[in-house]
Amino acid sequence: MTGWRRLTSPRPYKFLTCAAAGALLMTGCGVLPGASGDSREPITVMTWAPDGSSGPDTANMAGMTATARAYARWVNSSGGLDGHELLVIRCNEEDTSVGAANCARQAVKEKAVAVVGSYSRHGQAFMAPLEVAGIPYIGGYGASEEEFSSYDSYPVNGGQSALLAGNAQQLARGCDRVSVVRPDTLGGDTQAWLLSTGLKEAHRPAPSDVRAAEAATSYDKAAGEALQGAGTSGGCVTAVLGDRTETFFDSFRRLEASHADVRISSVLGSVDQPMINRTGGRESPFEGAYITGWYPDAGDPRWDEMRGAIRKHAFGDNRIDPDDTGVQTTWIAYTVLKKIVETIDASQITAGKLTVALNQGVQVDTGGLTPPLRWRYADMLGSSAYPRIVNRKVTFQVVREGRLVAEKKGFVDVTNTLSNASAKG
């Protein structure tokens, strides 16, 4: 993600790409290249995310809406979604509950058949309007609890819970003792419990639980407690503080000289490739860090199709970083939409038809970017804490020479940790 900002309108806007002209238009372009020439109607969807323009602490996920725009250009240039022209409404969610609710109401007003590949931490604000209108929420980033509980949500990853369960397994492979630095909130309590559950399953001692203020400008005290809990040799410190993780490791770096053997760790979303690049690449303080992610590392060839589409159809939009997890999630969510539309194979696609297809068990192959995805009741974790999770696999990565690369090949299943943590929590 970048600090690029764009002027925003209070109203989201539609666009579609006419492959013949290669231009952004407000009206239809006729029959799409590769389409059959029948009367297949355009498909309107929405993608929302905060673009960081509301304030200095607002999340900037503008790459997700920009990716949706590039995806539409790419898919429309080769026949659309099963012959349907794809129209995307983009909305600045503003990282507020009011903004999220406004985007959801706009999706209803514009008759969007789905909300796809979006980011919001305000599930309580946006999910109810979508549920009333019967609009499916496909492939959200996983930043709100409602994405893993609402019957209208179809997640493509396991959210932060899966990352934390996986982080525990990853740390257990090489750490004698673990300190976890997390927010001093109810959500932070859940984070600590997941890590403790995972470490216990691996017959490791419980982590040293270090609570930290979410909005601190310095974490010297928390860094000192974390180092003490990890010990002077063979220990690890993992921090899951979202946007404040970088601030924590700034404090940590100043104190770690006497604890040279302590290894650091986090999860994607708190630490990612753009952050590593920004903090020095090979000279970054994250060199050697363990990172747990949802998808293959950014250099994996399975991302080549996405990268090619961005190069050809994003027109140098510097909001889109192919290494960013939000961009990757949006790409996967639209891959799901494409498969579902192809399966329905109808001249008109409605929200109801999408929902029926999803609920009846259409399986989506994302080209290895996730395990095959399916949203039948039988495919869901079904625990009281995480009922809608269908993708319970994560990847283990490590920072080497300034790049996130695979530490372990393939996906790691965290079903047992999620189930055990839910049962005991």
Side-chain angles (χ1 to χ4, degrees):
M1 293 178 287
T2 72
W4 189 96
R5 294 182 180 178
R6 61 178 172 85
L7 295 176
T8 57
S9 164
R11 290 175 60 84
Y13 54 89
K14 293 182 185 179
F15 74 92
L16 59 86
T17 301
C18 178
L24 190 64
L25 301 177
M26 296 298 292
T27 58
C29 299
V31 179
L32 287 166
S36 61
D38 64 11
S39 58
R40 299 209 161 194
E41 297 181 3
I43 295 173
T44 299
V45 301
M46 175 177 275
T47 295
W48 65 54
D51 74 356
S53 60
S54 301
D57 293 326
T58 302
N60 184 352
M61 304 296 287
M64 297 178 71
T65 51
T67 299
R69 176 178 180 171
Y71 185 94
R73 287 171 169 157
W74 174 73
V75 78
N76 286 340
S77 72
S78 58
L81 299 180
D82 196 34
H84 298 268
E85 201 162 22
L86 176 63
L87 296 90
V88 176
I89 310 166
R90 298 182 294 157
C91 187
N92 179 10
E93 184 265 1
E94 298 178 343
D95 204 16
T96 66
S97 59
V98 172
N102 286 342
C103 285
R105 285 192 288 267
Q106 187 70 24
V108 175
K109 181 179 179 181
E110 298 282 358
K111 296 181 171 54
V113 300
V115 175
V116 185
S118 297
Y119 178 100
S120 178
R121 295 187 285 190
H122 305 284
Q124 289 183 327
F126 73 73
M127 197 60 79
L130 298 184
E131 289 176 346
V132 170
I135 297 174
Y137 189 76
I138 300 174
Y141 184 85
S144 63
E145 293 182 6
E146 287 74 14
E147 294 176 54
F148 303 104
S149 59
S150 171
Y151 53 81
D152 271 338
S153 178
Y154 301 88
V156 298
N157 62 51
Q160 189 176 64
S161 299
L163 293 180
L164 290 162
N167 194 227
Q169 291 191 28
Q170 187 174 17
L171 292 169
R173 290 155 51 92
C175 306
D176 295 329
R177 290 168 304 283
V178 174
S179 289
V180 53
V181 184
R182 47 81 168 188
D184 189 11
T185 61
L186 289 175
D189 292 345
T190 301
Q191 293 177 11
W193 182 246
L194 277 161
L195 281 160
S196 180
T197 301
L199 289 168
K200 183 177 180 181
E201 289 173 351
H203 308 291
R204 293 290 191 182
S208 175
D209 185 12
V210 180
R211 297 171 172 82
E214 282 190 294
T217 56
S218 174
Y219 288 97
D220 289 352
K221 182 175 182 293
E225 292 176 6
L227 284 166
Q228 184 177 4
T232 57
S233 178
C236 295
V237 171
T238 188
V240 186
L241 294 168
D243 292 341
R244 298 291 177 171
T245 303
E246 182 179 353
T247 304
F248 168 78
F249 280 116
D250 283 341
S251 299
F252 179 87
R253 188 171 57 237
R254 293 194 294 268
L255 300 177
E256 68 172 331
S258 60
H259 297 72
D261 291 333
V262 173
R263 195 157 192 173
I264 63 173
S265 175
S266 190
V267 298
L268 279 177
S270 287
V271 174
D272 56 15
Q273 189 61 55
M275 178 186 289
I276 295 165
N277 296 342
R278 188 173 65 248
T279 56
R282 293 186 179 184
E283 304 302 321
S284 167
F286 300 106
E287 184 68 22
Y290 293 131
I291 307 293
T292 309
W294 292 311
Y295 316 128
D297 64 272
D300 192 287
R302 283 170 283 189
W303 293 111
D304 287 351
E305 185 175 50
M306 179 192 74
R307 290 179 179 275
I310 290 171
R311 280 194 303 270
K312 189 172 182 179
H313 296 279
F315 305 130
D317 191 332
N318 65 357
R319 293 169 298 175
I320 302 178
D321 186 338
D323 294 346
D324 177 68
T325 311
V327 168
Q328 295 169 353
T329 299
T330 299
W331 176 266
I332 291 170
Y334 273 92
T335 300
V336 169
L337 176 68
K338 185 174 185 290
K339 172 62 175 179
I340 299 301
V341 170
E342 290 171 348
T343 300
I344 294 171
D345 188 24
S347 60
Q348 182 186 41
I349 300 297
T350 65
K353 289 178 180 178
L354 289 174
T355 300
V356 168
L358 287 159
N359 290 342
Q360 287 185 344
V362 173
Q363 182 168 290
V364 177
D365 181 354
T366 62
L369 298 175
T370 67
L373 299 174
R374 191 164 52 181
W375 293 269
R376 299 174 307 171
Y377 180 77
D379 300 309
M380 297 177 185
L381 182 61
S383 72
S384 58
Y386 322 107
R388 297 289 291 183
I389 291 180
V390 298
N391 180 1
R392 301 179 292 273
K393 295 187 179 181
V394 298
T395 57
F396 291 169
Q397 301 176 33
V398 64
V399 183
R400 292 190 182 133
E401 297 186 353
R403 296 294 302 176
L404 274 167
V405 297
E407 192 229 344
K408 174 183 171 63
K409 291 184 178 180
F411 291 100
V412 178
D413 195 323
V414 296
T415 299
N416 288 340
T417 302
L418 290 172
S419 298
N420 291 337
S422 178
K424 300 172 186 175

